[in-house]
Structures are given as C-alpha cells and as structure tokens.
C-alpha cells in the first residue's frame, strides 16, 4: 500500500510542479540578471579596469551557461537521486545518441 501512495504522491507533486513536462531546461541568464550584478558592483570600490573585467566575465559566464548548465525540476532531481538506475540509463542514452539512427541508415 505504501508503494501505491508513494507513486500517487510523486505523480501529484509532478503535476503540480511549475516545471510540469519540462524537467530540464537550459540555464537562463537574462539581461535583468546581468543588470542586478552590475548594480551590486556599483556599491563596491573596484578600480575601473577591474569593474570592466568583472562585467566582461559575467557576460561570458551568461553565454557559456546557456550551453553547458541545465536547471532541473526538483521532482526530477529527487527521482534521479532515489533511483541511480534511471540516471545510468539516461547517461547511456546520451552516450549512444544517434547510434541507432546510424545503424538503421547503414543497415
């Protein structure tokens, strides 16, 4: 009975989650985030060159994060932590991405 309740609770949590059916998304760093960083830096007494370097660094991080960092739904993250086999299957799928298609085309 406990398993059924756990599965139902997980389903309800997932359905109520604002991430519903969007378990993973690229990290979004928008202009407002960069603007907030600049506002925080205004209060610090950094030399102009250091301020310019930090500004360039922040823009670089924002650009890089779009391609490298994923945000994940808390329910999805918890499920991966609770079941390492699922995480392993996803890892294998990513490592073998496109191989099935190549086999079909060559076969």
């Amino acid at each position: 009975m406990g398993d059924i309740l756990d599965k139902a609770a997980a389903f309800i949590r997932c359905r109520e989650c604002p991430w519903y059916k969007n378990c993973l998304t690229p990290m979004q760093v928008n202009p407002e985030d960069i603007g907030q960083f600049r506002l925080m830096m205004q209060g610090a007494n950094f030399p102009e060159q250091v301020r310019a370097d930090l500004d360039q660094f922040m823009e670089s991080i924002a650009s890089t994060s779009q391609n490298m960092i994923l945000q994940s739904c808390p329910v999805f993250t918890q499920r991966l932590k609770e079941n390492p086999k699922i995480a392993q299957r996803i890892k294998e799928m990513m490592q073998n991405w496109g191989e099935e298609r190549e086999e079909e085309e060559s076969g």
Side-chain angles (χ1 to χ4, degrees):
M1 183 73 164
D3 288 344
I4 294 171
L5 292 177
D6 289 343
K7 288 181 182 181
F11 178 75
I12 291 169
R13 261 192 356 219
C14 191
R15 288 294 302 255
E16 292 176 349
C17 180
W19 289 75
Y20 184 58
K21 293 197 177 189
N22 290 303
C23 298
L24 294 171
T25 60
M27 180 85 131
Q28 298 295 319
V29 179
N30 56 38
E32 291 83 27
D33 296 328
I34 295 173
Q36 286 181 335
F37 178 76
R38 288 181 178 141
L39 280 174
M40 290 188 315
M41 291 298 107
Q42 285 178 354
N45 288 329
F46 291 127
E48 191 60 36
Q49 182 59 43
V50 171
R51 192 179 307 256
D53 290 345
L54 284 172
D55 196 43
Q56 184 178 16
F57 178 71
M58 182 63 181
E59 288 182 19
S60 174
I61 287 177
S63 173
T64 302
S65 71
Q66 303 281 348
N67 296 323
M68 296 184 67
I69 300 173
L70 293 176
Q71 294 175 320
S72 67
C73 155
V75 174
F76 181 71
T77 302
Q78 187 62 37
R79 288 178 178 170
L80 287 177
K81 288 178 182 178
E82 291 172 353
N83 191 340
K85 289 181 182 180
I86 292 174
Q88 183 61 34
R89 284 179 53 201
I90 292 170
K91 180 179 177 181
E92 289 169 1
M93 287 171 48
M94 293 302 295
Q95 290 173 339
N96 299 321
W97 192 273
E99 287 182 9
E100 288 179 13
R101 188 176 198 180
E102 289 173 7
E103 288 174 7
E104 289 174 3
E105 290 174 359
S106 65

